[in-house]
């Protein structure tokens, strides 16, 4: 529980910290500092137990199906990192309060910092690897936000993007690696994974898992060749650089290596990959650091180099090398964070951090000078400082490797590469440490700085002082301060395979590592005195700037994607359609090929020769629709033939409701399309060549054959109906004998309600489209015929319309028991009214039919919903229907089901929407006609 | 022997093929017609999932035991209405696009 609280606390503080900033900067600061302090306090309650060698694991199930649990693990390694995150976090929170100016919004800053803190705590305490990967990505995101904190600076935005791209994609590799580990061990829990070391090493997937995990670690810890994002991340405010990009986040990579060390190390692959990356990074970055003029740039490359040391140690993977790695993690965090803050102070007080401009600051900034010098001594690995101790251990292991190594027994003199590279790295490390101090604080006092330098306020140097004190105390008396702590923290990394006892001393006698240190210090100072000459030589060498390389790579990717895009996409909808349909057809045929298409063996219904007639008519109609597609009116008429025969087919195959619906829909559709043709052109120009047409014919034919074959395959097989329930319960429960209608308004009333809503919505959409901008191309509109409405039609409709409406009413009333119902009745009424429009004109009809159609369909929808809700009154679920059987004299038995009210709603919606659409469309082209005339007059 | 199953399958195949061809045309009006043809085909297809029965509509009567499957019918009835809504919407969209853009090409501009 405590662990969960430690991780959750920073996340809980995000809101308050941000909110408090509305009142004052101090309030926000106090909330952030209190949260961090509270976390430290909670952590302290666990420390004694962990020091005693206990491991806590707490687990709550989350998504068990994929093995994701909210599980935390507190052991020595996790504790070390928690102390770093919270301890240095507290320093940074204090420091940032003084560092940020009044113009920098402090609320978002602390909120992001808290997010990062929580994410980082999550990474180091996760017991579940998937959870770890999740927190891992969260650290990348919060790092992105913090690097880009000064979002008005282009460099900050670029740096943030670069960092996110590199560490984010590394995170994806990590995710893949984690899943591979799950594949190998069958679990995502660290307890299981850490215990299955041999199983992992023997597995065929070990290579893949290792590469993925290493990609995650190397990108995060800025190991060569993924190092270049880190220097570019130095555009972040200095507290961020000190916290994320030296002490904690970049350590997540080495944390991962350390965490999985017991499970994945012990193979030649691990040794060569990890040690190789570490040593390359160490020497290369130390060399580059010397020539950086920007203090933060220098420190950034120094950080990369020191991460290289840690990586190399973990790669060597001997007992003592592993201990050295853990030791160097804490030492580096202490001295590098202090140095970053010192650089920040210099930047803050002088207005620049360019080593070429700065000089002689020891006079104006004595406190900063003292603290920075002590930090730099630790960084350079001078005796009596913590950096010296871990570096000595590293040198010793590197030397041991030159003598013999299990994975490289026949190396001979090549094995000397380990101590030599280590010493070269150490040498440059000394050189840049000296440069950092000498260039900035010694020499003649600079007078042309942007600001007048002086020591910062107490709150700004206090965190530095605390960290430097740690460096010195650990360096001088390691046996009292660090021994047992290191023992507890390194145990999990070595897999609890520790030496009998740790003895940390800064004097081991005249041993090889001492000579290596001496050589490094002497040569390092020598190199520093000559660094400008060396830089001149370095400038002549061709340089590969990682950032440029990466950016051109991204550029190439984008270009490639664009080229591919241009290849398939020419902005033509026709082409999209052809591709989409082709792929859908292809996918269907794939199934045929894979499973084999077979005709069924069910009983077929024999058809008489006469039945061929309508089918042939239909096929001919369909063909003609396509054949005459250039003459739109003709094409439309042929299509209506198809619709008519489809209705007949429904009626013939025992679906009278469908037949009635289809035929009335048909009438309305054709009417609408005709009205549209008044506006749209009458002809299609010839546009596609024979190639395009043949392609389309091929696509169309295969789609048709595919669907037809599917229909045939299904129909010739025996059916398993699921409708018995409806047939059996239609009368007792739904109170109607027309099962289709009862299903629509009762059993599946909810679907129907959705459907009428869709219809109402479609009509609303249509109204919206037909209002607003009026046609601008009236010359393309077909003129209305001048002659009046035909007398015959007008006279006949006068009688016909009331009759038709009566029929609609009849169909509506009988719908529950015989073919009919709200839909069909509505459509019939619409057809009747439409006929009136055609015969007598819009205005005549409107004068006699004064209904607000929008309101009508709205009432319809409400009625349908209301009927459903009424069921609640009787304590029944939504849309439960009720029934009433009445016996009025003279008429016989009358059923009144509540479904009838529902059906009325459907009826109203259908009538309201459709009449509205027809009327608006007619009016639309009428307005055009008016415009046409107006245009002609001018 | 000619069976209804065969006839309906052929009908569906022809309707889909004709509909797809129209949908691939360059002007909006034939595309709407093509959609309608495809709707017919789809409705028939769904309907035929309940198999083809002659003379046994799902209207309960005393003494009649065999009824055709009412469920696909209910689904298709909904589909017809929704299909109509779609056709209406798309034809108005075509009209509006033509009026706004001055072209009834599916890409919104004359090639």
């Amino acid at each position: 529980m405590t662990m969960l609280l430690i991780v959750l606390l920073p996340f809980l503080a995000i809101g308050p910290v941000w909110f408090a900033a509305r009142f004052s900067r101090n309030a926000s600061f106090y909330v952030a500092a209190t949260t961090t302090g509270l976390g430290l306090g909670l952590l302290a309650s666990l420390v004694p137990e962990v020091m005693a060698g206990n491991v806590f694991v707490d687990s709550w199930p989350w998504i068990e199906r994929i093995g994701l649990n909210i599980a935390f693990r507190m052991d020595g390694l996790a504790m070390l990192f928690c102390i770093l995150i919270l301890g240095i976090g507290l320093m940074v929170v204090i420091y940032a309060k003084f560092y940020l100016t009044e113009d920098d919004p402090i609320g978002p800053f602390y909120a992001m910092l808290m997010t990062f803190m929580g994410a980082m705590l999550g990474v180091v305490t996760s017991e579940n690897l998937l959870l770890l990967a999740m927190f891992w990505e969260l650290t990348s995101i919060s790092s992105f936000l913090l690097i880009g904190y000064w979002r008005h600076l282009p460099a900050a935005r670029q740096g943030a993007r670069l960092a996110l791209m590199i560490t984010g994609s590394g995170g994806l590799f990590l995710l893949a690696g984690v899943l591979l580990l799950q594949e190998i061990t069958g679990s995502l829990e660290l307890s299981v994974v850490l215990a299955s070391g041999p199983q992992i090493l023997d597995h065929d997937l070990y290579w893949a898992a290792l590469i993925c995990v290493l990609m995650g670690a190397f990108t995060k810890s800025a190991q060569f060749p993924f190092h270049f994002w880190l220097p570019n991340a130095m555009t972040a405010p200095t507290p961020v650089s000190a916290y994320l990009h030296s002490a904690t986040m970049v350590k997540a990579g080495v944390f991962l290596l350390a965490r999985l060390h017991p499970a994945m190390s012990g193979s030649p692959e691990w040794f060569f990959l990890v040690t190789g990356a570490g040593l390359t990074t160490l020497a290369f970055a130390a060399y580059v650091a010397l020539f950086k003029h920007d203090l933060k740039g220098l420190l950034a490359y120094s950080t990369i180099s020191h991460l290289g040391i840690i990586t190399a140690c973990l790669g060597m993977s001997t007992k003592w090398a592993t201990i050295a790695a853990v030791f160097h993690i804490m030492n580096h965090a202490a001295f590098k964070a202090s140095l970053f803050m010192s650089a920040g102070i210099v930047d803050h007080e002088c207005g620049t951090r360019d080593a070429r401009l700065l000089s002689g600051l020891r006079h104006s900034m004595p406190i900063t000078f003292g603290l920075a010098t002590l930090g730099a001594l630790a960084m350079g690995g001078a005796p009596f400082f913590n950096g010296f101790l871990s570096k000595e251990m590293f040198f010793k292991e590197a030397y041991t490797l030159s003598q013999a190594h299990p994975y490289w027994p026949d190396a001979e003199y090549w094995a000397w590469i380990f101590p030599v590279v280590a010493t070269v790295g150490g040498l440059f490390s000394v050189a840049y440490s000296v440069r950092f101090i000498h260039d900035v604080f010694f020499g003649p006092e600079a007078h042309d700085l942007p600001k007048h330098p002086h020591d910062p306020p107490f709150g700004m140097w206090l965190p530095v002082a605390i960290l430097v004190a740690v460096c010195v105390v650990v360096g001088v008396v390691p046996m009292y301060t660090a021994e047992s702590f290191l023992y507890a923290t390194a145990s999990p990394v070595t897999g609890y395979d520790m030496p009998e006892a740790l003895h940390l001393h800064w004097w081991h006698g005249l041993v090889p590592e001492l000579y290596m240190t001496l050589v490094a210090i002497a040569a390092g100072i020598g190199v520093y005195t000559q660094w400008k000459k060396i830089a001149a030589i370095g400038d002549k060498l061709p340089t590969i700037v990682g950032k440029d390389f990466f950016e051109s790579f991204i550029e190439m990717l984008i270009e490639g994607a664009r080229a591919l895009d241009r290849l398939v996409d020419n902005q033509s909808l026709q082409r999209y359609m052809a591709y989409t349909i082709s792929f859908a057809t292809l996918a269907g045929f794939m199934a045929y090929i894979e499973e084999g298409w077979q005709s069924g063996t069910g009983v077929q219904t024999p058809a008489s020769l006469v039945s061929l007639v309508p089918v042939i008519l239909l096929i001919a109609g369909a063909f003609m629709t396509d054949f005459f597609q250039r003459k739109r009116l003709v094409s439309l008429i042929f299509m209506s033939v198809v619709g008519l025969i489809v209705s007949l087919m429904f009626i013939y195959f025992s679906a009278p409701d469908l037949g009635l619906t289809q035929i009335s829909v048909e009438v309305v559709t054709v009417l609408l399309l005709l009205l549209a043709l008044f506006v749209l052109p009458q002809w299609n120009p010839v546009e596609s060549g024979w190639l395009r047409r043949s392609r389309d014919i091929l696509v169309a034919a295969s789609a048709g054959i595919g669907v037809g074959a599917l229909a045939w395959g299904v129909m010739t097989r025996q059916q398993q109906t699921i409708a018995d329930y409806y047939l059996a319960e239609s009368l007792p429960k739904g109170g109607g004998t027309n099962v289709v209608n009862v299903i629509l308004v009762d059993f599946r009333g909810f679907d129907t309600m959705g459907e009428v809503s869709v219809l109402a919505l479609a009509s609303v959409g249509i109204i919206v489209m037909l209002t607003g901008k009026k046609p601008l191309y009236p010359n393309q509109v077909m003129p209305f015929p001048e002659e009046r409405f035909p007398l015959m039609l007008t006279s006949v409709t006068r009688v016909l319309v009331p009759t038709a409406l009566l029929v609609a009413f009849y169909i509506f009333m009988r719908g529950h028991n015989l073919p009919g119902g709200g839909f069909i009745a509505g459509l019939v009424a619409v057809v009747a009214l439409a006929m009136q429009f055609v015969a007598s004109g819009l205005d005549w009809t409107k004068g006699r039919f004064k209904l607000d159609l929008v309101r009508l369909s709205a009432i319809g929808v409400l009625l349908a919903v209301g009927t459903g809700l009424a069921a609640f009154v009787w304590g029944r679920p939504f849309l439960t229907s009720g029934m009433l059987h009445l016996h009025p004299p003279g008429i016989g038995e009358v059923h009144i089901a509540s479904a009838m009210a529902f059906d009325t709603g459907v009826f109203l919606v259908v009538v309201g929407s459709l009449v509205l659409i027809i009327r608006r469309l007619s009016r639309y082209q009428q307005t055009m006609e008016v415009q046409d005339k107006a245009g002609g007059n001018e | 022997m000619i069976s209804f199953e065969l006839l309906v399958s052929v009908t569906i195949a022809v309707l889909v093929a004709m509909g797809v061809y129209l949908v691939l045309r360059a002007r909006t009006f034939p595309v709407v017609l093509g959609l309608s043809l495809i709707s017919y085909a789809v409705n028939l297809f769904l309907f035929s999932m309940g198999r083809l029965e002659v003379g046994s509509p799902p209207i309960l009567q005393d003494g009649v035991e065999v009824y055709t499957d009412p469920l696909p019918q209910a689904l298709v009835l909904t589909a017809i209405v929704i299909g109509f809504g779609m056709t209406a919407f798309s034809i108005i969209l075509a009209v509006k696009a033509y009026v706004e853009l001055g072209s009834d090409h599916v890409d919104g501009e004359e090639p």
Side-chain angles (χ1 to χ4, degrees):
Chain A
M1 200 61 210
T2 320
M3 281 185 283
L4 181 67
L5 213 59
I6 292 175
V7 177
L8 271 186
L9 256 181
F11 287 117
L12 294 177
I14 295 172
V17 158
W18 201 318
F19 187 68
R22 287 164 159 257
F23 301 105
S24 76
R25 298 171 71 83
N26 277 336
S28 185
F29 160 69
Y30 284 127
V31 176
T34 316
T35 310
T36 317
L38 214 60
L40 269 176
L42 284 172
L43 183 65
S45 69
L46 293 176
V47 166
E49 295 274 339
V50 178
M51 290 292 284
N54 289 334
V55 176
F56 296 94
V57 174
D58 272 352
S59 183
W60 294 269
W62 185 7
I63 308 174
E64 286 174 89
R65 207 154 46 87
I66 57 169
L68 178 56
N69 297 322
I70 299 183
F72 296 105
R73 174 191 190 85
M74 183 62 80
D75 57 8
L77 186 64
M79 179 186 70
L80 165 66
F81 271 88
C82 284
I83 292 175
L84 290 182
I85 295 161
L86 289 166
I88 297 183
L90 187 60
M91 310 290 149
V92 167
V93 166
I94 299 171
Y95 178 85
K97 154 97 168 39
F98 296 93
Y99 180 86
L100 293 176
T101 63
E102 292 292 324
D103 299 333
D104 303 322
I106 205 163
F109 180 83
Y110 277 135
M112 289 185 235
L113 209 64
M114 289 294 123
T115 315
F116 168 75
M117 190 183 280
M120 195 64 206
L121 287 168
V123 167
V124 299
T125 54
S126 283
E127 156 77 2
N128 189 285
L129 282 171
L130 212 50
L131 193 68
L132 186 148
M134 228 173 68
F135 281 121
W136 183 281
E137 293 289 22
L138 196 55
T139 62
S140 296
I141 292 167
S142 46
S143 147
F144 165 77
L145 292 171
L146 281 165
I147 298 171
Y149 174 69
W150 283 319
R151 51 177 168 241
H152 53 277
L153 302 177
R157 296 197 298 265
Q158 284 164 16
R161 211 165 49 219
L162 191 67
L164 181 67
M165 213 119 72
I166 303 282
T167 56
S169 32
L172 291 181
F173 272 102
L174 172 64
L175 180 63
V178 162
L179 295 178
L180 283 171
L181 280 178
Q182 185 191 23
E183 182 70 29
I184 296 172
T185 62
S187 172
L188 283 168
E189 303 298 309
L190 264 179
S191 320
V192 178
V193 172
L194 291 183
S196 14
Q199 191 191 341
I200 296 173
L201 290 191
D202 287 342
H203 202 279
D204 290 340
L205 287 173
Y206 171 68
W207 250 105
L210 182 66
I211 296 281
C212 287
V213 168
L214 291 186
M215 283 294 281
F218 288 173
T219 50
K220 201 75 159 181
S221 280
Q223 294 299 291
F224 185 84
F226 309 109
H227 61 281
F228 51 89
W229 70 266
L230 189 56
N232 284 296
M234 289 302 144
T235 44
T238 301
V240 173
S241 308
Y243 191 32
L244 274 70
H245 304 125
S246 82
T248 54
M249 191 187 86
V250 289
K251 295 261 166 62
V254 287
F255 165 80
L256 185 71
L257 294 180
R259 184 44 104 198
L260 294 175
H261 185 264
M264 299 191 84
S265 70
S267 68
E269 291 94 332
W270 172 280
F271 171 72
F272 285 112
L273 284 174
V274 180
T275 314
L279 286 178
T280 315
T281 313
L282 142 74
F284 161 78
Y287 167 77
V288 176
L290 177 59
F291 307 111
K292 287 285 154 189
H293 303 305
D294 177 3
L295 292 185
K296 276 176 79 178
L298 186 152
L299 291 176
Y301 273 102
S302 151
T303 303
I304 297 174
S305 161
H306 280 272
L307 289 167
I309 294 181
I310 300 168
T311 308
C313 282
L314 287 167
M316 293 173 188
S317 189
T318 57
K319 239 179 251 184
W320 279 98
T322 315
I323 296 169
V326 176
F327 198 23
H328 204 64
I329 288 174
M330 45 180 130
N331 292 338
H332 175 256
F335 65 70
K336 192 52 65 67
S338 80
L339 281 171
F340 260 111
M341 292 188 198
S342 303
I345 291 174
V346 170
D347 186 18
H348 203 254
E349 304 302 334
C350 303
T352 179
R353 45 174 208 255
D354 190 327
R356 285 168 300 186
L357 302 177
L358 297 164
S359 182
L361 289 182
R362 68 181 185 282
H363 302 293
S364 47
M365 304 174 76
I367 299 175
T368 316
F369 164 59
L371 294 172
T373 308
L374 293 175
L377 284 169
M379 174 164 77
F384 307 112
F385 288 92
N386 60 356
F388 172 78
L389 295 169
S390 40
K391 201 176 264 188
E392 284 270 273
M393 289 163 81
F394 166 58
F395 281 171
K396 181 172 178 225
E397 291 310 304
Y399 176 76
T400 318
L401 272 187
S402 70
Q403 303 305 308
H405 196 275
Y407 303 124
W408 206 3
D410 52 349
E412 296 174 13
Y413 56 87
W414 274 108
W416 282 98
I417 201 164
F418 298 108
V420 169
V421 172
T423 314
V424 169
L427 167 175
F428 279 108
S429 183
V430 171
Y432 65 66
S433 303
V434 174
R435 185 176 174 220
F436 183 80
I437 297 306
H438 193 263
D439 278 19
V440 175
F441 294 100
F442 288 89
E445 204 165 351
H447 291 291
D448 48 355
L449 297 175
K451 285 185 186 172
H452 253 299
H454 56 80
D455 264 322
F458 170 72
M460 220 163 159
W461 64 257
L462 175 73
V464 186
I466 294 171
L467 290 169
V468 166
V470 170
C471 295
V472 177
V473 171
V474 170
V476 178
V477 282
M479 43 297 218
Y480 305 122
T481 51
E483 251 173 34
S484 58
F485 185 69
L486 183 58
Y487 194 91
T489 51
S491 301
V493 186
T494 57
Y496 299 95
D497 180 22
M498 293 289 281
E500 286 287 302
L502 280 179
H503 292 294
L504 299 176
H505 286 289
W506 44 267
W507 178 254
H508 299 102
L510 295 170
V511 284
E513 59 264 33
L514 185 68
Y515 295 120
M516 287 162 78
T517 308
L518 291 177
V519 168
I521 292 178
I525 295 173
V527 164
Y528 170 67
T529 58
Q530 302 298 317
W531 77 269
K532 282 183 180 155
K533 285 179 195 162
I534 298 173
I537 301 169
D539 285 345
K540 287 189 189 114
L541 297 173
T543 48
I544 303 167
V545 183
K547 186 184 168 212
D548 296 349
F549 185 74
F550 179 77
E551 270 169 8
S552 56
F553 172 69
I554 292 290
E555 199 65 27
M556 205 181 73
L557 275 187
I558 293 173
E559 261 317 305
R562 284 211 183 111
L564 187 69
D565 191 45
R566 276 193 295 271
L567 205 65
V568 288
D569 169 21
N570 62 348
Q571 302 287 310
S572 159
L573 272 177
Q574 283 174 280
R575 187 180 272 207
Y576 296 155
M577 284 309 289
Y579 283 169
T580 312
I581 295 173
S582 306
F583 273 106
T585 313
L586 205 66
F589 274 106
M590 288 296 283
Y592 286 158
I593 293 166
E594 223 157 83
E595 304 291 327
W597 182 86
Q598 269 183 332
S599 165
T601 52
V603 186
Q604 297 177 24
T605 324
S608 58
L609 275 179
V610 182
S611 56
L612 272 177
V613 176
V615 171
I616 288 170
L617 269 179
L618 182 141
I619 292 172
F623 267 105
M624 289 301 143
T625 310
D626 277 28
F627 188 76
F628 286 106
Q629 53 106 356
R630 301 203 188 293
K631 298 174 182 167
R632 294 182 172 180
L633 189 62
V634 181
S635 180
L636 176 57
I637 290 168
F638 277 115
M639 196 196 79
S640 66
V641 174
V642 175
L644 187 71
I645 298 175
V646 169
S647 329
L648 292 177
M649 280 170 90
F650 283 139
I651 294 177
Y652 188 75
F653 293 121
S654 318
D657 284 279
L658 288 190
L660 281 173
T661 314
Q662 182 73 62
I663 202 156
S664 18
V665 159
E666 203 50 42
V667 174
V668 183
T669 309
V670 170
L671 198 69
L672 267 182
L673 291 175
L674 278 174
L675 282 172
L677 267 188
F678 265 99
V679 184
L680 292 172
Q682 306 298 304
W683 307 86
N684 288 344
V686 182
E687 272 167 329
S688 8
W690 65 271
L691 199 68
R692 164 75 68 92
R693 262 179 272 169
S694 335
R695 181 199 73 180
D696 291 351
I697 289 173
L698 189 71
V699 172
S702 14
I705 291 170
V707 178
L710 182 61
W712 169 256
V714 177
M715 275 189 281
T716 49
R717 282 174 168 79
Q718 205 59 43
Q719 184 204 8
Q720 285 277 312
T721 182
I722 51 170
D724 289 336
Y725 168 82
Y726 297 113
L727 286 168
E729 302 295 340
S730 175
L731 197 52
K733 287 199 173 152
T737 53
N738 180 0
V739 185
V740 175
N741 184 270
V742 173
I743 290 176
L744 282 177
V745 297
D746 193 328
F747 291 128
R748 309 290 310 163
F750 203 69
D751 297 356
T752 310
M753 204 182 79
E755 178 198 348
V756 293
S757 312
V758 169
L759 202 59
L761 275 177
S763 71
V764 170
I766 287 168
I767 296 165
V768 171
M769 280 197 281
L770 291 183
T771 22
K773 194 174 172 187
K774 291 289 185 240
L776 283 175
Y777 302 89
N779 52 337
Q780 287 170 318
V781 175
M782 203 155 84
F784 252 174
E786 281 300 315
E787 70 252 47
R788 290 311 312 157
F789 302 100
L791 182 65
M792 279 287 276
L793 187 61
T794 319
S795 322
V796 171
T797 43
R798 293 280 191 280
V799 191
L800 214 53
V801 169
T803 322
L805 288 176
L806 197 66
V807 169
F809 180 70
Y810 170 67
I811 287 178
F812 175 81
M813 286 310 289
R814 70 173 211 166
H816 222 44
N817 294 316
L818 289 167
F823 265 129
I824 302 169
L827 287 165
V828 170
V830 171
V831 171
L833 290 170
M835 197 159 58
Q836 189 71 70
F837 287 142
V838 173
S840 308
L842 217 52
D843 299 322
W844 188 92
T845 316
K846 206 187 172 200
R848 286 153 185 80
F849 184 69
K850 290 177 185 158
L851 268 177
D852 186 341
L853 292 166
V854 181
R855 201 163 290 170
L856 197 68
S857 35
I859 290 171
V861 173
L862 288 178
L863 197 62
V865 178
T867 321
L869 290 177
F872 287 140
V873 178
W874 286 276
R876 310 294 295 274
F878 190 62
L879 275 172
T880 312
S881 65
M883 265 180 296
L884 213 61
H885 293 273
L886 297 176
H887 298 273
I891 299 179
E893 189 178 340
V894 175
H895 297 272
I896 298 181
S898 71
M900 205 150 221
F902 184 80
D903 224 10
T904 313
V906 174
F907 175 82
L908 292 180
V909 173
V910 172
V911 173
S913 318
L914 298 195
V915 175
L916 192 66
I917 293 169
I918 293 171
R919 211 156 77 178
R920 288 307 270 270
L921 187 55
S922 326
R923 187 165 302 288
Y924 195 58
Q925 36 122 336
Q926 260 195 344
T927 41
M928 278 190 299
E929 196 189 11
V930 172
Q931 271 193 353
D932 194 15
K933 280 175 185 161
N937 288 343
E938 273 167 16
Chain B
M1 184 192 73
I2 314 164
S3 67
F4 281 126
E5 282 78 9
L6 182 66
L7 290 181
V8 172
S9 304
V10 170
T11 306
I12 291 172
V14 169
L15 285 176
V16 168
M18 294 301 133
V20 167
Y21 183 77
L22 284 186
V23 163
L24 294 175
R25 295 305 90 208
R27 300 285 157 170
T28 48
F29 192 79
V31 171
V32 176
L33 290 194
L35 282 177
S36 299
L37 286 184
I38 293 178
S39 302
Y40 293 141
V42 170
N43 289 342
L44 273 178
F45 182 87
L46 282 179
F47 173 72
S48 68
M49 294 300 103
R51 304 304 183 271
L52 307 173
E53 303 277 348
V54 180
S56 49
I59 304 210
L60 302 178
Q61 281 170 304
D62 290 334
V64 179
E65 285 304 316
V66 183
Y67 299 104
T68 185
D69 196 334
L71 206 54
Q73 292 196 17
L75 290 176
V76 171
L77 207 148
T78 313
I80 291 173
V81 178
I82 296 272
F84 167 74
M86 186 190 71
T87 309
F89 195 86
S90 50
I91 192 66
I92 304 292
L93 198 60
V95 167
K96 183 72 173 176
Y98 175 64
V99 164
E100 290 275 345
L101 304 168
S103 163
D104 69 337
H105 195 280
V106 285
D107 293 336
E109 54 189 12
E110 293 295 319

